[in-house]
Coordinates of all heavy atoms in Angstrom, one line a residue:
M639 N 10.3 -12.0 11.9 CA 9.6 -11.3 13.0 C 8.2 -12.0 13.1 O 7.5 -12.2 12.2 CB 9.5 -9.9 12.7 CG 8.7 -9.1 13.7 SD 8.5 -7.4 13.3 CE 10.1 -6.8 12.9
S640 N 7.9 -12.3 14.3 CA 6.6 -13.0 14.6 C 5.5 -12.0 14.5 O 5.6 -10.9 15.1 CB 6.7 -13.7 16.0 OG 5.4 -14.0 16.4
P641 N 4.3 -12.3 13.9 CA 3.2 -11.4 13.9 C 2.7 -11.0 15.3 O 2.1 -10.0 15.6 CB 2.1 -12.1 13.2 CG 2.8 -13.2 12.4 CD 4.0 -13.5 13.2
N642 N 3.0 -11.9 16.3 CA 2.5 -11.6 17.7 C 3.4 -10.6 18.5 O 2.9 -10.0 19.4 CB 2.5 -12.9 18.5 CG 1.6 -13.9 17.9 OD1 0.6 -13.5 17.4 ND2 1.9 -15.2 18.1
N643 N 4.6 -10.3 18.0 CA 5.4 -9.4 18.8 C 5.9 -8.2 18.0 O 6.7 -7.4 18.5 CB 6.6 -10.1 19.5 CG 7.6 -10.6 18.5 OD1 7.4 -10.4 17.3 ND2 8.7 -11.2 19.0
F644 N 5.5 -8.0 16.8 CA 6.0 -6.9 16.0 C 5.7 -5.5 16.6 O 6.4 -4.6 16.4 CB 5.6 -7.0 14.5 CG 4.2 -6.7 14.2 CD1 3.8 -5.4 13.9 CD2 3.2 -7.6 14.2 CE1 2.5 -5.1 13.6 CE2 1.9 -7.3 13.9 CZ 1.6 -6.0 13.6
L645 N 4.5 -5.4 17.3 CA 4.2 -4.1 17.9 C 5.0 -3.7 19.0 O 5.1 -2.6 19.4 CB 2.7 -4.1 18.3 CG 1.7 -4.1 17.1 CD1 0.3 -4.2 17.7 CD2 1.8 -2.9 16.2
Q646 N 5.7 -4.7 19.6 CA 6.5 -4.4 20.8 C 8.0 -4.0 20.5 O 8.7 -3.6 21.3 CB 6.6 -5.6 21.7 CG 5.2 -6.0 22.2 CD 5.3 -7.4 22.9 OE1 6.3 -8.0 23.1 NE2 4.2 -7.9 23.4
E647 N 8.3 -4.0 19.2 CA 9.7 -3.8 18.8 C 10.0 -2.4 18.4 O 11.2 -2.0 18.2 CB 10.1 -4.8 17.7 CG 10.1 -6.2 18.2 CD 10.5 -7.2 17.2 OE1 11.1 -6.8 16.2 OE2 10.2 -8.4 17.4
A648 N 9.1 -1.5 18.1 CA 9.4 -0.2 17.7 C 10.0 0.7 18.8 O 9.5 0.6 20.0 CB 8.1 0.5 17.2
K649 N 11.0 1.4 18.5 CA 11.6 2.3 19.5 C 11.0 3.7 19.5 O 10.5 4.1 18.5 CB 13.1 2.5 19.1 CG 13.9 1.2 19.2 CD 15.3 1.5 18.7 CE 16.1 0.2 18.6 NZ 17.5 0.5 18.1
T650 N 11.0 4.3 20.6 CA 10.5 5.7 20.7 C 11.6 6.6 20.0 O 12.7 6.2 19.8 CB 10.3 6.1 22.1 OG1 11.6 6.1 22.8 CG2 9.3 5.3 22.8
V651 N 11.2 7.8 19.7 CA 12.2 8.7 19.1 C 13.3 8.9 20.1 O 14.5 9.0 19.7 CB 11.5 10.1 18.8 CG1 12.5 11.1 18.5 CG2 10.5 9.9 17.7
E652 N 13.1 9.0 21.4 CA 14.1 9.2 22.4 C 15.1 8.1 22.4 O 16.3 8.2 22.7 CB 13.5 9.5 23.8 CG 12.7 10.7 23.9 CD 11.2 10.6 23.3 OE1 10.8 9.5 23.1 OE2 10.6 11.6 23.1
A653 N 14.6 6.8 22.2 CA 15.4 5.6 22.3 C 16.2 5.3 21.1 O 17.1 4.5 21.1 CB 14.6 4.4 22.8
S654 N 15.8 5.9 20.0 CA 16.4 5.7 18.7 C 17.6 6.6 18.5 O 17.6 7.7 18.8 CB 15.4 5.9 17.6 OG 16.0 5.7 16.3
N655 N 18.6 6.0 17.9 CA 19.8 6.8 17.6 C 19.7 7.7 16.3 O 20.4 8.6 16.2 CB 21.0 5.9 17.4 CG 21.4 5.2 18.7 OD1 21.2 5.8 19.8 ND2 21.9 4.0 18.6
S656 N 18.7 7.3 15.4 CA 18.7 8.0 14.1 C 17.4 8.6 13.8 O 17.3 9.2 12.7 CB 19.1 7.0 13.0 OG 18.1 5.9 13.0
A657 N 16.4 8.5 14.7 CA 15.1 9.1 14.3 C 15.1 10.6 14.5 O 15.6 11.1 15.5 CB 14.0 8.5 15.2
A658 N 14.5 11.3 13.5 CA 14.3 12.7 13.6 C 13.2 13.0 14.6 O 12.3 12.3 14.8 CB 14.0 13.3 12.3
C659 N 13.3 14.1 15.4 CA 12.3 14.5 16.4 C 11.7 15.8 15.9 O 12.4 16.8 15.7 CB 13.0 14.7 17.7 SG 11.8 15.1 19.0
Y660 N 10.4 15.7 15.8 CA 9.6 16.9 15.4 C 8.6 17.2 16.5 O 7.7 16.3 16.8 CB 8.9 16.7 14.1 CG 9.9 16.4 12.9 CD1 10.1 15.2 12.5 CD2 10.5 17.5 12.4 CE1 11.0 14.9 11.5 CE2 11.5 17.2 11.3 CZ 11.7 16.0 10.9 OH 12.6 15.7 9.9
F661 N 8.7 18.3 17.1 CA 7.7 18.6 18.2 C 7.1 20.0 17.8 O 7.7 21.0 18.0 CB 8.4 18.7 19.5 CG 7.5 18.8 20.7 CD1 6.6 17.7 21.0 CD2 7.4 19.9 21.5 CE1 5.8 17.8 22.1 CE2 6.5 20.0 22.5 CZ 5.7 19.0 22.8
P662 N 5.8 19.9 17.4 CA 5.2 21.1 16.8 C 4.7 22.1 17.9 O 4.3 23.2 17.5 CB 3.9 20.6 16.1 CG 3.6 19.3 16.9 CD 5.0 18.7 17.3
L663 N 4.8 21.8 19.1 CA 4.4 22.8 20.2 C 5.5 23.6 20.7 O 5.3 24.2 21.8 CB 3.7 22.0 21.3 CG 2.5 21.1 20.8 CD1 2.0 20.3 22.0 CD2 1.4 21.8 20.2
M664 N 6.6 23.7 20.1 CA 7.7 24.5 20.6 C 7.4 25.9 20.8 O 8.0 26.5 21.7 CB 8.9 24.3 19.7 CG 9.4 22.9 19.6 SD 10.6 22.6 18.3 CE 12.1 23.2 19.1
S665 N 6.5 26.5 20.1 CA 6.2 27.9 20.3 C 5.3 28.1 21.5 O 5.1 29.3 21.9 CB 5.5 28.5 19.0 OG 4.2 27.9 18.9
G666 N 4.7 27.1 22.0 CA 3.8 27.2 23.1 C 2.4 27.5 22.7 O 1.5 27.7 23.5
R667 N 2.2 27.5 21.4 CA 0.9 27.8 20.8 C 0.4 26.8 19.8 O 1.2 26.4 19.0 CB 1.0 29.2 20.1 CG -0.3 29.8 19.7 CD 0.0 31.2 19.2 NE -1.2 31.6 18.4 CZ -1.3 32.6 17.8 NH1 -0.3 33.5 17.7 NH2 -2.4 32.9 17.1
Y668 N -0.8 26.3 20.0 CA -1.3 25.2 19.1 C -2.0 25.9 17.9 O -2.9 26.7 18.1 CB -2.3 24.3 19.8 CG -2.8 23.2 19.0 CD1 -2.1 22.2 18.6 CD2 -4.1 23.3 18.5 CE1 -2.6 21.2 17.7 CE2 -4.7 22.3 17.7 CZ -3.9 21.3 17.3 OH -4.4 20.3 16.5
E669 N -1.5 25.6 16.7 CA -2.1 26.2 15.5 C -2.4 25.0 14.5 O -1.6 24.1 14.4 CB -1.2 27.2 14.9 CG -0.9 28.4 15.7 CD 0.1 29.3 15.1 OE1 1.1 28.8 14.6 OE2 -0.2 30.5 15.1
V670 N -3.5 25.2 13.8 CA -3.8 24.2 12.7 C -3.7 25.0 11.4 O -4.5 25.8 11.1 CB -5.3 23.6 12.9 CG1 -5.6 22.7 11.8 CG2 -5.4 22.9 14.2
K671 N -2.6 24.7 10.7 CA -2.4 25.4 9.5 C -1.3 24.6 8.7 O -0.6 23.7 9.3 CB -1.8 26.8 9.7 CG -0.5 26.8 10.4 CD 0.0 28.2 10.6 CE 1.4 28.2 11.3 NZ 1.9 29.5 11.4
P672 N -1.3 24.8 7.4 CA -0.2 24.1 6.7 C 1.1 24.6 7.1 O 1.3 25.8 7.2 CB -0.5 24.4 5.2 CG -1.5 25.5 5.2 CD -2.1 25.6 6.6
G673 N 2.0 23.7 7.4 CA 3.4 24.1 7.8 C 4.3 24.1 6.7 O 5.3 23.4 6.7
M674 N 4.0 24.8 5.7 CA 4.9 24.9 4.5 C 6.2 25.5 4.8 O 6.2 26.7 5.3 CB 4.1 25.6 3.3 CG 2.8 25.0 3.0 SD 2.8 23.3 2.5 CE 3.0 23.6 0.8
M675 N 7.3 24.8 4.5 CA 8.6 25.4 4.6 C 9.4 24.9 3.4 O 9.1 23.9 2.8 CB 9.2 24.8 5.9 CG 8.5 25.0 7.2 SD 9.3 24.2 8.5 CE 10.0 25.6 9.3
A676 N 10.5 25.7 3.2 CA 11.4 25.3 2.1 C 12.1 24.0 2.4 O 12.4 23.8 3.6 CB 12.4 26.4 1.9
F677 N 12.2 23.1 1.4 CA 12.9 21.9 1.6 C 14.3 22.1 2.1 O 15.0 23.0 1.6 CB 12.9 21.0 0.3 CG 13.7 19.8 0.5 CD1 13.2 18.7 1.3 CD2 15.0 19.6 0.0 CE1 13.9 17.6 1.5 CE2 15.7 18.5 0.2 CZ 15.2 17.4 0.9
G678 N 14.7 21.4 3.1 CA 16.0 21.5 3.7 C 16.1 22.5 4.8 O 17.2 22.7 5.4
S679 N 15.0 23.1 5.2 CA 15.0 24.0 6.3 C 15.4 23.3 7.6 O 15.1 22.2 7.8 CB 13.6 24.6 6.6 OG 13.1 25.4 5.5
C680 N 16.2 24.0 8.4 CA 16.7 23.4 9.6 C 15.6 23.3 10.7 O 15.1 24.3 11.1 CB 17.9 24.2 10.2 SG 18.6 23.4 11.7
L681 N 15.3 22.0 11.0 CA 14.3 21.8 12.1 C 15.0 21.2 13.3 O 14.3 20.6 14.2 CB 13.2 20.9 11.5 CG 12.5 21.5 10.3 CD1 11.5 20.4 9.7 CD2 11.7 22.7 10.7
G682 N 16.3 21.2 13.4 CA 17.0 20.6 14.5 C 17.3 19.2 14.3 O 17.7 18.5 15.3
N683 N 17.2 18.6 13.1 CA 17.4 17.2 12.9 C 18.5 16.9 11.8 O 18.4 16.0 11.1 CB 16.1 16.5 12.5 CG 15.1 16.6 13.5 OD1 15.2 16.1 14.6 ND2 14.0 17.3 13.2
T684 N 19.4 17.9 11.7 CA 20.4 17.7 10.7 C 21.2 16.4 11.0 O 21.5 16.1 12.1 CB 21.4 18.9 10.7 OG1 20.6 20.1 10.7 CG2 22.4 18.9 9.6
P685 N 21.5 15.6 10.0 CA 21.3 15.8 8.5 C 19.9 15.3 8.0 O 19.6 15.3 6.9 CB 22.4 14.9 7.9 CG 22.6 13.8 8.9 CD 22.3 14.4 10.2
A686 N 19.0 14.8 8.9 CA 17.7 14.2 8.5 C 16.9 15.3 7.8 O 16.2 15.0 6.9 CB 17.0 13.7 9.7
D687 N 17.0 16.5 8.2 CA 16.3 17.6 7.6 C 16.6 17.8 6.1 O 15.8 18.4 5.4 CB 16.5 18.9 8.3 CG 15.9 18.9 9.7 OD1 15.0 18.1 10.0 OD2 16.3 19.7 10.5
Q688 N 17.8 17.3 5.7 CA 18.2 17.4 4.3 C 17.7 16.2 3.4 O 18.0 16.2 2.3 CB 19.7 17.5 4.2 CG 20.3 18.6 5.1 CD 19.8 20.0 4.6 OE1 19.8 20.3 3.5 NE2 19.4 20.8 5.6
Q689 N 17.0 15.3 4.0 CA 16.6 14.1 3.3 C 15.1 14.1 3.0 O 14.3 14.4 3.9 CB 16.9 12.8 4.2 CG 18.4 12.7 4.6 CD 19.3 12.5 3.4 OE1 19.0 11.7 2.5 NE2 20.4 13.2 3.5
V690 N 14.8 13.6 1.8 CA 13.4 13.5 1.4 C 12.8 12.3 2.2 O 11.7 12.4 2.8 CB 13.2 13.3 -0.1 CG1 11.8 13.0 -0.5 CG2 13.7 14.6 -0.8
F691 N 13.5 11.2 2.1 CA 13.0 10.0 2.8 C 13.9 9.8 4.0 O 15.1 9.6 3.9 CB 13.1 8.8 1.9 CG 12.2 8.9 0.7 CD1 12.8 9.2 -0.6 CD2 10.8 8.8 0.8 CE1 12.0 9.4 -1.7 CE2 10.0 9.0 -0.3 CZ 10.6 9.2 -1.6
Q692 N 13.3 9.9 5.2 CA 14.0 9.7 6.4 C 13.9 8.3 7.0 O 12.9 8.0 7.6 CB 13.6 10.8 7.5 CG 13.8 12.2 7.0 CD 13.3 13.2 8.0 OE1 12.7 12.9 9.0 NE2 13.5 14.5 7.6
I693 N 14.9 7.5 6.7 CA 14.9 6.1 7.1 C 15.7 6.0 8.4 O 16.9 6.3 8.4 CB 15.4 5.2 6.0 CG1 14.5 5.3 4.8 CG2 15.5 3.8 6.5 CD1 14.9 4.6 3.6
D694 N 15.1 5.6 9.4 CA 15.7 5.5 10.7 C 15.8 4.0 11.2 O 15.5 3.1 10.4 CB 15.1 6.4 11.8 CG 13.7 6.0 12.1 OD1 13.2 4.9 11.8 OD2 13.0 6.9 12.6
D695 N 16.2 3.8 12.5 CA 16.3 2.5 13.0 C 15.0 1.7 13.0 O 15.0 0.5 13.1 CB 16.7 2.6 14.5 CG 18.1 3.2 14.6 OD1 18.9 3.1 13.7 OD2 18.5 3.6 15.7
N696 N 13.8 2.4 13.0 CA 12.5 1.7 13.0 C 12.0 1.3 11.6 O 10.9 0.7 11.5 CB 11.5 2.6 13.7 CG 11.7 2.6 15.2 OD1 12.0 1.6 15.8 ND2 11.5 3.7 15.8
F697 N 12.7 1.6 10.6 CA 12.2 1.3 9.2 C 11.9 -0.1 9.0 O 10.8 -0.4 8.5 CB 13.3 1.8 8.2 CG 12.9 1.4 6.8 CD1 11.9 2.1 6.1 CD2 13.4 0.3 6.1 CE1 11.5 1.8 4.8 CE2 13.1 -0.1 4.9 CZ 12.1 0.7 4.2
T698 N 12.7 -1.0 9.4 CA 12.5 -2.5 9.1 C 11.2 -2.9 9.9 O 10.4 -3.6 9.4 CB 13.7 -3.3 9.6 OG1 14.8 -2.9 8.9 CG2 13.5 -4.8 9.3
H699 N 11.1 -2.4 11.1 CA 9.9 -2.8 11.9 C 8.6 -2.3 11.3 O 7.6 -3.0 11.1 CB 10.0 -2.2 13.3 CG 8.7 -2.2 14.1 ND1 8.2 -3.4 14.6 CD2 7.8 -1.2 14.3 CE1 7.1 -3.1 15.2 NE2 6.8 -1.8 15.0
Y700 N 8.6 -1.0 10.9 CA 7.4 -0.4 10.3 C 7.1 -1.0 8.9 O 5.9 -1.3 8.6 CB 7.5 1.1 10.2 CG 7.4 1.8 11.5 CD1 8.4 2.5 12.0 CD2 6.2 1.7 12.3 CE1 8.3 3.2 13.3 CE2 6.1 2.3 13.5 CZ 7.1 3.0 14.0 OH 7.0 3.6 15.2
R701 N 8.1 -1.3 8.2 CA 7.8 -2.0 6.9 C 7.2 -3.4 7.1 O 6.3 -3.7 6.4 CB 9.1 -2.1 6.1 CG 8.9 -2.6 4.7 CD 10.1 -2.5 3.8 NE 9.8 -2.9 2.5 CZ 9.8 -4.1 2.0 NH1 10.0 -5.1 2.8 NH2 9.5 -4.4 0.7
Q702 N 7.7 -4.1 8.0 CA 7.2 -5.4 8.3 C 5.7 -5.3 8.7 O 4.9 -6.1 8.3 CB 8.0 -6.1 9.4 CG 7.6 -7.5 9.7 CD 7.7 -8.5 8.5 OE1 8.6 -8.3 7.7 NE2 6.9 -9.5 8.5
A703 N 5.4 -4.4 9.6 CA 4.0 -4.2 10.0 C 3.1 -3.9 8.8 O 2.0 -4.4 8.7 CB 3.9 -3.0 11.0
K704 N 3.6 -3.0 7.9 CA 2.8 -2.7 6.7 C 2.6 -4.0 5.8 O 1.5 -4.2 5.3 CB 3.5 -1.7 5.8 CG 3.6 -0.3 6.5 CD 2.4 0.5 6.1 CE 2.6 1.9 6.6 NZ 1.4 2.7 6.5
L705 N 3.7 -4.8 5.7 CA 3.5 -6.0 4.9 C 2.6 -7.0 5.5 O 1.8 -7.6 4.8 CB 4.9 -6.6 4.6 CG 5.9 -5.8 3.8 CD1 7.3 -6.4 3.8 CD2 5.3 -5.7 2.3
L706 N 2.6 -7.1 6.8 CA 1.7 -8.0 7.5 C 0.3 -7.5 7.3 O -0.6 -8.3 7.1 CB 2.1 -8.1 9.0 CG 3.3 -8.9 9.3 CD1 3.7 -8.7 10.8 CD2 3.1 -10.4 9.0
A707 N 0.0 -6.2 7.4 CA -1.3 -5.7 7.3 C -1.8 -5.9 5.9 O -3.0 -6.3 5.7 CB -1.3 -4.2 7.6
R708 N -1.0 -5.7 4.9 CA -1.4 -5.9 3.5 C -1.7 -7.4 3.2 O -2.6 -7.7 2.5 CB -0.3 -5.5 2.5 CG -0.1 -4.0 2.5 CD 1.0 -3.6 1.5 NE 0.8 -3.9 0.2 CZ 0.1 -3.2 -0.7 NH1 -0.3 -2.0 -0.4 NH2 0.0 -3.6 -2.0
G709 N -0.9 -8.3 3.8 CA -1.1 -9.7 3.7 C -2.4 -10.2 4.4 O -3.0 -11.1 3.9
E710 N -2.7 -9.5 5.5 CA -3.9 -9.9 6.2 C -5.2 -9.7 5.3 O -6.0 -10.6 5.1 CB -4.0 -9.1 7.5 CG -5.3 -9.3 8.2 CD -5.6 -8.2 9.3 OE1 -4.8 -7.2 9.3 OE2 -6.5 -8.4 10.0
R711 N -5.4 -8.4 4.9 CA -6.5 -8.1 4.0 C -6.3 -6.6 3.6 O -6.6 -5.7 4.3 CB -7.8 -8.3 4.7 CG -9.0 -8.3 3.8 CD -10.3 -8.6 4.5 NE -10.8 -7.5 5.2 CZ -11.2 -7.5 6.5 NH1 -11.0 -8.6 7.2 NH2 -11.6 -6.4 7.1
L712 N -5.8 -6.4 2.4 CA -5.5 -5.1 1.9 C -6.7 -4.1 2.0 O -6.5 -3.0 2.4 CB -4.9 -5.2 0.5 CG -4.5 -3.9 -0.1 CD1 -3.4 -3.2 0.7 CD2 -4.0 -4.1 -1.6
N713 N -7.9 -4.6 1.6 CA -9.0 -3.6 1.5 C -9.4 -3.2 2.9 O -10.3 -2.3 3.0 CB -10.1 -4.2 0.7 CG -10.8 -5.4 1.3 OD1 -10.4 -5.9 2.4 ND2 -11.8 -5.9 0.7
K714 N -8.9 -3.8 4.0 CA -9.2 -3.3 5.3 C -8.6 -2.0 5.6 O -9.0 -1.2 6.5 CB -8.7 -4.4 6.3 CG -8.9 -4.0 7.8 CD -8.4 -5.2 8.6 CE -8.4 -4.8 10.1 NZ -7.9 -5.9 10.9
Y715 N -7.5 -1.6 4.9 CA -6.7 -0.4 5.2 C -6.9 0.7 4.2 O -6.1 1.7 4.3 CB -5.3 -0.9 5.3 CG -5.1 -1.8 6.4 CD1 -5.1 -3.2 6.2 CD2 -4.9 -1.4 7.7 CE1 -4.9 -4.1 7.2 CE2 -4.8 -2.3 8.8 CZ -4.8 -3.6 8.5 OH -4.6 -4.5 9.6
Y716 N -7.9 0.7 3.4 CA -8.2 1.9 2.6 C -9.7 1.8 2.2 O -10.3 0.8 2.3 CB -7.3 1.9 1.3 CG -7.6 0.9 0.3 CD1 -8.6 1.1 -0.7 CD2 -7.0 -0.3 0.3 CE1 -8.8 0.1 -1.7 CE2 -7.2 -1.3 -0.7 CZ -8.2 -1.1 -1.6 OH -8.4 -2.0 -2.6
Q717 N -10.2 3.0 1.9 CA -11.6 3.1 1.5 C -11.8 3.7 0.2 O -10.9 4.5 -0.3 CB -12.4 4.0 2.5 CG -12.4 3.4 3.9 CD -13.1 4.3 4.9 OE1 -13.4 5.5 4.5 NE2 -13.4 3.8 6.0
I718 N -12.9 3.4 -0.5 CA -13.2 4.0 -1.8 C -14.6 4.5 -1.8 O -15.5 3.9 -1.2 CB -12.9 3.1 -3.0 CG1 -13.7 1.8 -2.8 CG2 -11.4 2.7 -3.1 CD1 -13.6 0.8 -4.0
C719 N -14.8 5.6 -2.4 CA -16.2 6.1 -2.5 C -16.4 6.7 -3.9 O -15.6 7.5 -4.3 CB -16.4 7.2 -1.4 SG -18.0 8.0 -1.4
N720 N -17.5 6.3 -4.5 CA -17.8 6.8 -5.9 C -16.6 6.5 -6.8 O -16.1 7.4 -7.6 CB -18.1 8.3 -5.9 CG -19.4 8.5 -5.1 OD1 -20.3 7.7 -5.0 ND2 -19.4 9.7 -4.4
Y721 N -16.0 5.4 -6.7 CA -14.8 5.0 -7.4 C -15.2 4.1 -8.5 O -15.5 2.9 -8.3 CB -13.9 4.3 -6.4 CG -12.4 4.1 -6.8 CD1 -11.6 5.2 -7.0 CD2 -11.9 2.8 -7.0 CE1 -10.3 5.0 -7.3 CE2 -10.6 2.6 -7.3 CZ -9.8 3.7 -7.5 OH -8.5 3.6 -7.8
S722 N -15.2 4.6 -9.7 CA -15.7 3.8 -10.9 C -14.7 2.8 -11.3 O -13.5 2.9 -11.0 CB -16.0 4.8 -12.1 OG -14.7 5.3 -12.6
Q723 N -15.1 1.8 -12.0 CA -14.2 0.7 -12.5 C -13.2 1.3 -13.5 O -12.1 0.9 -13.6 CB -15.0 -0.4 -13.2 CG -15.8 -1.3 -12.2 CD -14.8 -2.0 -11.3 OE1 -13.7 -2.4 -11.7 NE2 -15.2 -2.2 -10.1
A724 N -13.6 2.4 -14.3 CA -12.7 3.0 -15.2 C -11.5 3.6 -14.5 O -10.4 3.5 -14.9 CB -13.4 4.0 -16.1
V725 N -11.8 4.3 -13.4 CA -10.8 4.9 -12.6 C -9.9 3.8 -12.0 O -8.7 3.9 -12.0 CB -11.3 5.8 -11.5 CG1 -10.3 6.3 -10.5 CG2 -12.0 7.0 -12.2
A726 N -10.5 2.8 -11.4 CA -9.8 1.7 -10.8 C -8.9 1.0 -11.8 O -7.7 0.6 -11.5 CB -10.7 0.7 -10.2
G727 N -9.3 0.9 -13.1 CA -8.6 0.2 -14.1 C -7.4 1.1 -14.6 O -6.3 0.5 -15.0
A728 N -7.5 2.4 -14.5 CA -6.5 3.2 -14.9 C -5.3 3.2 -13.9 O -4.2 3.3 -14.3 CB -7.0 4.7 -15.1

């Protein structure tokens, strides 16, 4: 995959055959709270709702984008604050 066109290859949830769809506004009310649910709860994406890691048609594309970003400059994609050398070494 070329670095110049990898952003154009991801499919939308609607265009993907295997992507789970999660739409949090189904109740018509916007709430900011932890959405804790029992693992395996039916969210309308069976059998994806039963999987811890949901790997869909876009997995290869997103993994390649992550690898390209890490190869570019890893420290560009994370921050540290008050991070001692002892903690970094551990």
Side-chain angles (χ1 to χ4, degrees):
M639 179 183 311
S640 164
N642 296 329
N643 69 357
F644 74 91
L645 291 176
Q646 299 172 1
E647 295 182 17
K649 297 177 185 174
T650 63
V651 170
E652 295 81 13
S654 176
N655 293 326
S656 64
C659 182
Y660 300 99
F661 190 66
L663 304 177
M664 292 169 82
S665 70
R667 190 172 163 185
Y668 180 74
E669 298 176 313
V670 179
K671 64 180 183 177
M674 306 298 271
M675 304 177 104
F677 177 72
S679 296
C680 180
L681 302 172
N683 298 297
T684 308
D687 292 338
Q688 305 298 314
Q689 304 296 316
V690 174
F691 300 104
Q692 298 178 359
I693 297 176
D694 63 18
D695 296 339
N696 285 320
F697 174 76
T698 303
H699 166 77
Y700 287 119
R701 183 170 189 278
Q702 182 65 26
K704 293 270 189 189
L705 292 173
L706 286 169
R708 290 178 64 88
E710 175 194 9
R711 195 173 78 234
L712 181 59
N713 67 356
K714 178 179 176 182
Y715 296 95
Y716 69 90
Q717 296 180 348
I718 54 175
C719 180
N720 300 325
Y721 195 64
S722 70
Q723 286 298 326
V725 171

